[in-house]
């Protein structure tokens, strides 16, 4: 494995038959390359056992080349909510070409197990740093990781008192403004917001943003209920909302999973979506386009957020050749669940 | 961290206030414990820094305590197909309580990048072994991993010439027989099967099982088309199938993602599901229950398969205290997409 001369980006470019900047793009997971070209470059880099940062190569021996993602919503969460799957896909798009792995730990919600996991992974040097998600009100993880000396980045906004350096987030307000206007223009006067669990910061932020945007758009005050971020609870909330005479003309859910399950339940009860009740989600997960009617949603740039989080962490780890891709503000994606007119 | 006496299962049982067999159950991820009890036990084990196998504890220094899962369908696969998410959730249910992590690598489909990833992970001892999925016809990974001396288990059936010791799979035939009877009894005479990519072993096995089961049930020969395992291709196949006068009365898809997207497209085209065309999926993913109509499907015990794969690998790694949970044969789950009658 010893070689006379260190492999450089020139060698990879030459083997792949492309420019150096193309190699750089491919390794940084940037857009603007044909898929075939990207593949050729990654294959060439793999053949030559080359990765972009000389610093990273030198350090490789003492590094795990692994990034930790500890999710404390129980092992079935990944299957039930594609939110994390998209984030992970985004992170992998930066990590994989640099031969970093993502070390996944799905825990039950016991807090002690969580902090013990962070401690062990750090102590045993099994990961080089962490990507945190879903910040909580007065989140104990930040202090713990500082104590452990473990680099980390946060996806999402921290609570007001928590100070965190690297934060990756799609601003909710932009998409919520467009949504409020969309709903007010369509004449909706009875609006229900079904939000997520109350201890998550983004649940509160999203709800506040929606209420403020509605007010600014001259819309009505929304009625608000809370639900677990799952399909079962969304169905329950939907049944209850549609059982009263003054039922909402539109239901806005805190995520797409709930919106899909809610739209399904409304249809099962004999309501047409959107003619009898319109439905809106949040996140823009792939499955919102599979169902009928397709789901209008506030899109977060989740893939870019995952990629940016991985890139920010790699930079934090000393790999300054990684560029952090930009994260777009949230946008409204209008689909059939607010616009379809079968009449 | 040095202690006079090694911590034992007695200490954990005493701290949690439960029996030793309860501790053993919790650590093996077995059923039959109240969630609160399980949490208490895992917390106690974490507090005492105890894990079940003395051998594993002794070896901990030289082990990564990480299991590799390399998926070569591109980084967006996880988000688009919850199949892997459920498998991962199952594997984590065994790995997490034993403080093993799952090292995830989502690759583009370049074969050279794949084998290089296996080589590097093994060489750098970043994982202790691998879980393989989706065996291919004449799969090169088995030979490679044997060469590298890396323990591995396979989820799914190998192709006929490939010999693999540990195989975790839900037999497709049981569920397909029930499905064939269900469809024949309902009087379906024009049956379309939309299968997955032709180079995957399970695509062929599933299709063969369905054709054989239909024949045994006295049903008609199904028409068969192939599609990528994704929503877009499922929509295209569905549009084409429904555009002809002799359209199918039921479409059976190779997975639930395709079934959901197909049912959505059929409804968009003005067909009622199931009155005009019935729809069936495969896998029993959570979202099949969210949509309307809910999707009839052949259920694989994916969670158990993931758990069994992780357990088999841990045993292979010398941790004989892990029990391999049983994997049930496939079963038919009858839902609205074949039975609903609005008339």
């Amino acid at each position: 494995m010893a070689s006379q001369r260190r492999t450089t980006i020139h060698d990879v470019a030459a083997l792949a038959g492309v420019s150096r900047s193309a190699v750089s793009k491919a390794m940084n997971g940037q857009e603007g390359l044909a898929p075939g070209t990207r593949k050729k470059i990654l294959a060439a880099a793999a053949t030559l056992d080359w990765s972009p940062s000389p610093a990273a190569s030198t350090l490789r021996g003492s590094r795990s080349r692994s990034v930790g993602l500890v999710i404390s919503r129980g092992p079935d969460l990944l299957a039930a909510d594609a939110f994390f799957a998209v984030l992970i896909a985004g992170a992998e798009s930066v990590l994989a070409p640099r031969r970093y792995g993502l070390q996944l730990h799905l825990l039950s919600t016991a807090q002690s197990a969580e902090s013990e996991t962070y401690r062990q992974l750090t102590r045993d040097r099994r990961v080089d740093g962490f990507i945190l998600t879903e910040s909580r009100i007065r989140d104990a993880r930040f202090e713990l990781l500082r104590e452990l000396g473990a680099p980390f980045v946060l996806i999402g906004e921290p609570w007001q008192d928590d100070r965190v350096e690297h934060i990756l987030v799609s601003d909710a307000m932009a998409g919520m403004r467009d949504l409020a206007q969309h709903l007010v223009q369509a004449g909706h006067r009875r609006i229900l917001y079904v939000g997520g669990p109350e201890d998550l910061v983004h649940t509160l932020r999203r709800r506040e943003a929606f209420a403020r945007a509605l007010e600014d758009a001259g819309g009505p005050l929304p009625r608000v209920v809370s639900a677990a971020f799952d399909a079962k609870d969304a169905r329950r909330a939907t049944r209850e909302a549609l059982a009263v005479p003054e039922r909402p003309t539109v239901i806005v859910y805190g995520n797409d999973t709930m919106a899909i399950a809610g739209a399904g339940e409304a249809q099962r009860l004999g309501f047409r979506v959107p003619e009898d009740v319109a439905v809106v989600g949040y996140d823009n997960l792939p499955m919102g386009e599979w169902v009928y009617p397709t789901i209008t949603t506030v899109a977060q740039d989740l893939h870019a957020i995952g990629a940016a989080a991985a890139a920010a962490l790699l930079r934090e780890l000393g790999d300054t050749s990684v560029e952090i891709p930009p994260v777009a503000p949230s946008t409204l994606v209008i689909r059939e669940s607010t616009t379809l007119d079968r009449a």
Side-chain angles (χ1 to χ4, degrees), chain A residues 19-238:
Chain A
S19 68
R20 275 181 298 154
S21 75
V23 175
S24 173
K25 265 188 188 166
M27 303 306 285
N28 284 313
Q30 288 171 263
E31 300 293 319
L33 286 176
T37 308
R38 186 180 299 274
K39 268 189 208 171
K40 217 160 49 181
I41 294 168
L42 298 180
T47 303
L48 296 173
D49 196 11
W50 180 83
S51 65
S53 156
S57 306
T58 313
L59 283 170
R60 188 181 296 174
S62 63
R63 286 278 173 90
S64 67
R65 289 190 88 76
S66 183
V67 164
L69 177 62
V70 180
I71 301 177
S72 298
R73 279 214 254 155
D76 291 329
L77 189 266
L78 247 197
D81 192 343
F83 172 87
F84 285 98
V86 181
L87 276 185
I88 289 171
E92 286 278 353
S93 75
V94 167
L95 297 173
R98 315 182 86 83
R99 303 218 197 97
Y100 268 84
L102 190 71
Q103 177 100 312
L104 200 62
H105 289 260
L106 304 177
L107 301 179
S108 63
T109 46
Q111 289 269 342
S112 63
E114 184 185 60
S115 59
E116 195 49 38
T117 300
Y118 283 110
R119 274 180 212 286
Q120 291 208 343
L121 291 174
T122 309
R123 192 180 65 199
D124 302 348
R125 295 174 175 250
R126 284 163 53 194
V127 303
D128 299 331
F130 292 96
I131 296 174
L132 304 187
T133 63
E134 298 204 306
S135 70
R136 307 162 200 157
I137 295 173
R138 278 177 288 281
D139 200 317
R141 294 174 296 177
F142 308 141
E143 209 40 50
L144 173 66
L145 290 174
R146 284 193 196 103
E147 223 180 275
L148 294 170
F152 67 93
V153 298
L154 172 67
I155 289 175
E157 273 180 276
W159 186 238
Q160 46 220 17
D161 300 330
D162 294 323
R163 281 174 318 165
V164 178
E165 199 165 346
H166 291 287
I167 299 166
L168 295 310
V169 71
S170 265
D171 174 40
M173 203 58 212
M176 285 300 196
R177 283 203 188 287
D178 289 345
L179 173 60
Q181 277 168 17
H182 176 57
L183 298 182
V184 168
Q185 275 165 18
H188 288 289
R189 297 303 302 168
R190 291 195 306 280
I191 300 179
L192 174 65
Y193 185 80
V194 180
E198 300 274 335
D199 63 329
L200 296 178
V201 175
H202 69 70
T203 293
L204 304 179
R205 295 267 189 269
R206 239 171 245 187
R207 194 173 76 189
E208 285 162 13
F210 182 58
R212 186 141 43 92
L214 261 186
E215 195 185 342
D216 292 352
L221 206 66
R223 196 163 79 77
V224 172
V225 298
S226 286
F229 263 147
D230 67 27
K232 197 177 155 196
D233 222 31
R235 278 202 295 256
R236 178 196 54 73
T238 305

Side-chain angles (χ1 to χ4, degrees), chain A residues 261-299:
Chain A
E265 188 69 8
Q267 292 177 87
R268 183 168 296 107
L269 294 169
F271 296 97
R272 287 167 309 159
V273 176
E275 292 92 333
D276 300 324
V277 59
V279 161
V280 179
Y282 198 103
D283 282 338
N284 193 24
L285 299 183
M287 61 189 168
E289 288 193 278
W290 306 347
V291 293
Y292 180 75
T294 52
I295 304 291
T296 293
T297 190
V298 175

